[in-house]
Amino acid sequence: MTRRRRSLLINGLLVVVLLGAGVAGYLVFFGSSGSAQPTAARTAAAANRDVSETVTASGTVQSSFSAAASFGASGTVTEVNVKVGDVVTKGQQLAKLDPTQAQLQVDIAQGNLNAALDKGTGTTALLTAYRQTQLALQQAKDNLAATTLTAPGDGTITSVTGSVGQKVGSGNSSSSTSSTTSTTTATTSGFVVVTDLKNLVLHANVSESDVSKLKADQAASVTVNAMSTQPIQAKVTQVDLTPTTSNNVVQYGVTLTLTEPPAGLRPGQSASVEVTVSSATNVLAVPAAAVQTVSGASSVQVMENGAETRKTVEIGVRGDQYVEIKSGLTAGEEVVLPQVTTSTNQNRQQQQGTLPGTGTGGQRNGGGFTGTGR
């Protein structure tokens, strides 16, 4: 073999060795592309604890009573006796119209009645005339009374839209809403609006899948968005029987009474509510993620002597975090939790900050979560 041929052979071998070393180093550092490295089995011990099932919803704080009061007669406003923020009681005078014309009608009706009495009621015609004058007098008195606007209920004045000198037409004396009915839209129009700011309620909407779980007197916790550090205790007082549908989503209204509303709470504020629909105290339970339910049958994977074994269990209260186990397990048994995998080369590339073959820094979307074994 000539010196030239030996030199070429040695150089070729060196190239092969270097390429092999490079490939091996790349695989060690980056790992095989997309390979998922399984983590150790994660387990949790069955143990006694309190378990509760809840239904969550969003809603709005409302007054249990709100009424819009308007004059039942026509005339010119001569008095407005309240302003926004005043606390009033039912029947208290709020405003008044000029009663001159209404009083004149009463005087005329009274004179007609007196004249009818003088004629007597001995015949059918006289009796009819007398009764007509009686009716006219009562109507005149009602019109006179309607020139005074009174509070339809106890509460706080939240709106005054009229003023002295304004001319108003006759309308309903008042219209009101109450949380005890399925319709809880607050009244906002009227000469004066009276709202109960002490007895506040929460009106929320729940999905059709959850409404069957709700009933009166269930305990709840309300968190007002503007007062997120002050959870308010409440209880369910009413579940609407008819739904509302919006964008093909069916929901049912639920009214909750607030036990001790904090100072500063106002109607119209948005809030979230969590209603406890079932609970169990000091019962055997496992993490909800460990329970698989298929066709009504529930089971868990149990770690026994280093091997996984499936066991059928009877469950009770199913909470978001834990599920009550009525039978099939004993305290201390280790149930297997869902396994989480991680991509080795992805994690390494993210740590390195460079994607192979680019020569520039780059990042992939997402990364695996490493499970922790016990």
Side-chain angles (χ1 to χ4, degrees):
M1 181 180 297
T2 65
R3 180 179 299 176
R4 178 178 177 80
R5 292 181 63 186
R6 282 199 303 269
S7 177
L8 291 173
L9 180 60
I10 291 172
N11 289 339
L13 290 173
L14 287 174
V15 170
V16 172
V17 171
L18 289 174
L19 286 173
V23 171
Y26 177 85
L27 292 175
V28 169
F29 185 79
F30 292 106
S32 58
S33 176
S35 61
Q37 304 297 323
T39 64
R42 300 186 306 141
T43 63
N48 282 37
R49 64 176 67 248
D50 297 343
V51 181
S52 61
E53 180 183 4
T54 60
V55 169
T56 59
S58 58
T60 305
V61 177
Q62 296 182 355
S63 170
S64 59
F65 171 80
S66 184
S70 298
F71 285 103
S74 301
T76 302
V77 179
T78 57
E79 297 179 30
V80 176
N81 308 111
V82 292
K83 62 183 182 300
V84 173
D86 287 352
V87 177
V88 297
T89 58
K90 184 175 182 179
Q92 180 177 331
Q93 180 174 311
L94 305 178
K96 193 173 180 64
L97 299 178
D98 182 354
T100 303
Q101 290 297 322
Q103 183 61 60
L104 179 60
Q105 293 298 321
V106 171
D107 295 341
I108 294 173
Q110 184 65 61
N112 292 336
L113 179 63
N114 293 338
L117 283 174
D118 290 341
K119 293 179 180 179
T121 58
T123 66
T124 301
L126 291 175
L127 179 60
T128 299
Y130 170 72
R131 288 177 176 174
Q132 288 177 338
T133 56
Q134 276 187 316
L135 179 60
L137 177 60
Q138 185 58 52
Q139 290 176 337
K141 288 182 177 180
D142 290 342
N143 288 336
L144 178 60
T147 61
T148 300
L149 185 63
T150 59
D154 297 347
T156 301
I157 303 298
T158 54
S159 174
V160 178
T161 59
S163 59
V164 173
Q166 177 181 343
K167 293 185 180 298
V168 299
S170 61
N172 294 329
S173 59
S174 67
S175 60
S176 64
T177 60
S178 169
S179 66
T180 58
T181 64
S182 60
T183 302
T184 55
T185 303
T187 302
T188 57
S189 60
F191 192 90
V192 177
V193 177
V194 180
T195 304
D196 186 352
L197 298 181
K198 294 182 179 179
N199 300 304
L200 298 176
V201 298
L202 180 79
H203 185 73
N205 292 308
V206 300
S207 65
E208 57 181 324
S209 60
D210 287 332
V211 69
S212 61
K213 303 175 184 177
L214 300 180
K215 59 184 179 181
D217 294 328
Q218 286 174 328
S221 178
V222 173
T223 301
V224 179
N225 294 347
M227 304 176 179
S228 57
T229 60
Q230 297 178 266
I232 306 169
Q233 297 307 306
K235 68 176 181 178
V236 176
T237 52
Q238 177 185 303
V239 181
D240 290 353
L241 298 178
T242 56
T244 59
T245 303
S246 177
N247 296 325
N248 294 324
V249 176
V250 179
Q251 294 182 313
Y252 288 79
V254 179
T255 303
L256 301 99
T257 300
L258 307 180
T259 304
E260 293 183 3
L265 189 64
R266 292 291 183 267
Q269 291 180 313
S270 57
S272 59
V273 59
E274 187 175 273
V275 182
T276 301
V277 296
S278 61
S279 62
T281 304
N282 193 30
V283 294
L284 187 66
V286 298
V291 180
Q292 295 86 42
T293 301
V294 179
S295 300
S298 299
S299 63
V300 296
Q301 288 282 99
V302 179
M303 186 68 72
E304 292 183 347
N305 299 321
E308 295 184 16
T309 302
R310 182 163 294 280
K311 286 189 174 183
T312 300
V313 294
E314 180 187 0
I315 66 173
V317 178
R318 184 189 286 271
D320 291 335
Q321 294 183 333
Y322 293 95
V323 175
E324 176 189 4
I325 302 298
K326 290 188 172 182
S327 64
L329 284 181
T330 58
E333 286 192 87
E334 297 284 337
V335 295
V336 180
L337 301 176
Q339 184 171 278
V340 180
T341 60
T342 180
S343 178
T344 303
N345 75 305
Q346 182 174 320
N347 288 342
R348 285 174 175 167
Q349 289 166 11
Q350 286 179 338
Q351 293 170 2
Q352 184 71 10
T354 303
L355 295 178
T358 64
T360 58
Q363 294 182 350
R364 290 187 180 180
N365 294 328
F369 295 95
T370 303
T372 56
R374 291 190 53 179

